[in-house]
Amino acid sequence: MRFQAAVLRSYENPFTVEEVVLRAEPAVGEVLVEITGTGMCRTDLAVRRSAGRSPVPTILGHEGAGVVVQTGGGPDAAIGVGDHVVLSFDSCGHCRNCRGAAPAYCDSFASLNLFGGRREEPPRLTDATGKALAPRWFGQSSFAEYALVPARNAVRVDPALPLELLGPLGCGFLTGAGAVLNTFSAGPGDTLVVFGAGAVGLSAVMAATAAGVLTVAVDQHQERLASAERFGATPLPAASPDLPEQIRRLTDGGAQYALDTTASPPVINKALRALRPTGSLGLVARLHTPLALEPGTLDRGRSIRHICEGDAVPGVLIPRLIGLWQAGRFPFDQLIRTYPLAGINEAERDCDAGRVVKPVLLP
Ligand SMILES: NC(=O)c1ccc[n+]([C@@H]2O[C@H](COP(=O)([O-])OP(=O)(O)OC[C@H]3O[C@@H](n4cnc5c(N)ncnc54)[C@H](O)[C@@H]3O)[C@@H](O)[C@H]2O)c1
Ligand SMILES: [Zn+2]
Ligand SMILES: [Zn+2]
């Protein structure tokens, strides 16, 4: 079958929206999804800086939502034709961490999601001339009119919901909210500071407010700080003098939890200095330079760890976030601006310039 997709042909050039060819029906355990809306995550754009590890040409996109149009049957046959689904990250389903309900730490996470997907011979997805496209970024490659995905990555949702807006619940919003609700398991009486009030940071702020957590948000952009304040956080400009001291004052001696979405070593050091004894810092962004910690930053039981996909089991956290949204307590739709698929390069420019928090493409 032929359909339109946004193809990244080289790391330097814009996406090209072109016809691609899917040369197979869904196999057992797979479903074909007609994409209604698909979010753009910073991790899609980071492929440009992947130094060749994520192969091109490829179809990116890993925050898809759509309608199942065909299934291959099999163990996850609970998903059927006509179902509305939100797509999330891929995992093998049988390694130790998958069996332990920690699919974000699947042994095969990097190879399945980031560095090429399952290799296929002959290729099932090609461009119009028959040249292979790297298959299934995050198990979905959803910057396209259709995506062939493992059924285990598809979470069924109520057809009455605005499906075109739900895709980012599969990664960016899941990550920020999951860090607060799963990793930190934060609740009333807890304190949190978020560094970087973008898609991940603001979803952490929203989830923290919903959970009754006192939250401070730090960013360089006034508009991002204004959003954080609207969602319940105390805003602090990144350039404020003696930021850790200000945060300690606002959080009664230091935050119990900190979330860094910037990957900046100086920011990470500030985050650690803003923590109270036993406080924990979570990192979500990939570091591009070595991280040197200032002496004393980890003293007195402080800890630091990486958080992947909000420690989520998508089939559990996505319905929970939808429930919070329906109750008016997780207003993620306010972060979204929609673009046609053909507007993908404009969406990337707007994202880079900080003009939009979460672009969603409508194929
Ligand atoms: N671990 C995971 O599972 C996971 C999931 C999704 C995204 N990510 C990664 O998380 C990161 C954040 O993603 P996002 O979508 O929220 O990006 P974003 O661009 O929407 O947000 C980043 C924010 O950080 C702010 N910022 C940058 N440098 C700063 C500094 N020095 N001080 C204060 N604020 C600063 C920016 O102004 C921006 O608002 C990306 O690197 C992305 O690849 C990781
Ligand atoms: Zn696994
Ligand atoms: Zn993502």
Side-chain angles (χ1 to χ4, degrees):
M1 100 187 256
R2 291 170 179 266
F3 55 87
Q4 294 290 308
V7 178
L8 187 74
R9 292 197 162 269
S10 72
Y11 299 108
E12 305 80 27
N13 291 312
F15 293 91
T16 54
V17 177
E18 56 187 86
E19 187 178 79
V20 299
V21 189
L22 180 63
R23 296 167 186 273
E25 312 261 292
V28 170
E30 290 180 336
V31 293
L32 181 66
V33 177
E34 183 172 5
I35 299 295
T36 309
T38 176
M40 179 179 272
C41 173
R42 278 273 152 202
T43 307
D44 293 310
L45 305 179
V47 166
R48 295 191 181 282
R49 296 205 289 165
S50 73
R53 291 210 294 170
S54 297
V56 289
T58 185
I59 303 173
L60 301 174
H62 62 284
E63 294 184 338
V67 181
V68 175
V69 293
Q70 200 180 352
T71 88
D76 292 292
I79 303 271
V81 171
D83 282 348
H84 288 202
V85 290
V86 174
L87 307 178
S88 197
F89 59 88
D90 201 3
S91 56
C92 80
H94 48 73
C95 71
R96 183 182 165 95
N97 286 348
C98 281
R99 282 185 280 116
Y105 304 95
C106 174
D107 290 354
S108 305
F109 187 91
S111 63
L112 288 177
N113 291 287
L114 298 166
F115 302 137
R118 298 185 170 100
R119 301 216 171 271
E120 293 166 349
E121 202 49 57
R124 295 196 296 174
L125 189 63
T126 71
D127 69 8
T129 69
K131 182 171 186 210
L133 298 173
R136 296 196 290 166
W137 165 251
F138 276 81
Q140 50 176 289
S141 290
S142 54
F143 288 165
E145 290 176 315
Y146 291 88
L148 184 61
V149 305
R152 62 179 263 106
N153 306 353
V155 177
R156 192 167 40 195
V157 296
D158 184 342
L161 293 165
L163 186 60
E164 72 282 5
L165 301 182
L166 302 184
L169 293 174
C171 182
F173 300 159
L174 178 96
T175 297
V180 173
L181 302 175
N182 292 334
T183 314
F184 299 148
S185 200
D190 283 330
T191 48
L192 167 74
V193 55
V194 172
F195 289 82
V200 174
L202 288 173
S203 52
V205 167
M206 284 186 231
T209 300
V213 177
L214 188 154
T215 305
V216 177
V218 180
D219 203 290
Q220 299 160 323
H221 293 293
Q222 192 45 48
E223 211 176 301
R224 298 276 162 113
L225 290 172
S227 300
E229 186 169 26
R230 196 167 73 248
F231 299 131
T234 302
L236 261 189
S240 308
D242 206 1
L243 205 54
E245 171 56 26
Q246 291 208 49
I247 295 162
R248 287 197 298 271
R249 210 159 13 85
L250 288 166
T251 55
D252 192 23
Q256 185 64 48
Y257 303 111
L259 183 67
D260 175 74
T261 73
T262 72
S264 154
V267 172
I268 291 168
N269 275 287
K270 284 181 191 159
L272 286 168
R273 288 201 281 122
L275 287 177
R276 57 180 288 104
T278 76
S280 320
L281 166 65
L283 307 181
V284 295
R286 189 182 190 88
L287 293 167
H288 292 284
T289 51
L291 172 62
L293 296 183
E294 290 161 14
T297 44
L298 284 178
D299 287 2
R300 305 186 65 204
R302 293 178 178 87
S303 61
I304 180 170
R305 64 161 282 198
H306 179 254
I307 302 170
C308 192
E309 302 288 353
D311 283 357
V313 174
V316 175
L317 188 55
I318 290 172
R320 185 173 172 196
L321 296 179
I322 289 172
L324 283 171
W325 175 73
Q326 287 172 314
R329 297 168 65 203
F330 189 71
F332 67 86
D333 53 311
Q334 294 181 23
L335 303 180
I336 290 174
R337 185 189 303 167
T338 59
Y339 300 77
L341 184 63
I344 186 168
N345 293 307
E346 183 192 348
E348 181 175 6
R349 284 193 297 274
D350 286 351
C351 204
D352 282 340
R355 285 190 289 269
V356 58
V357 176
K358 178 57 74 180
V360 168
L361 306 169
L362 306 177

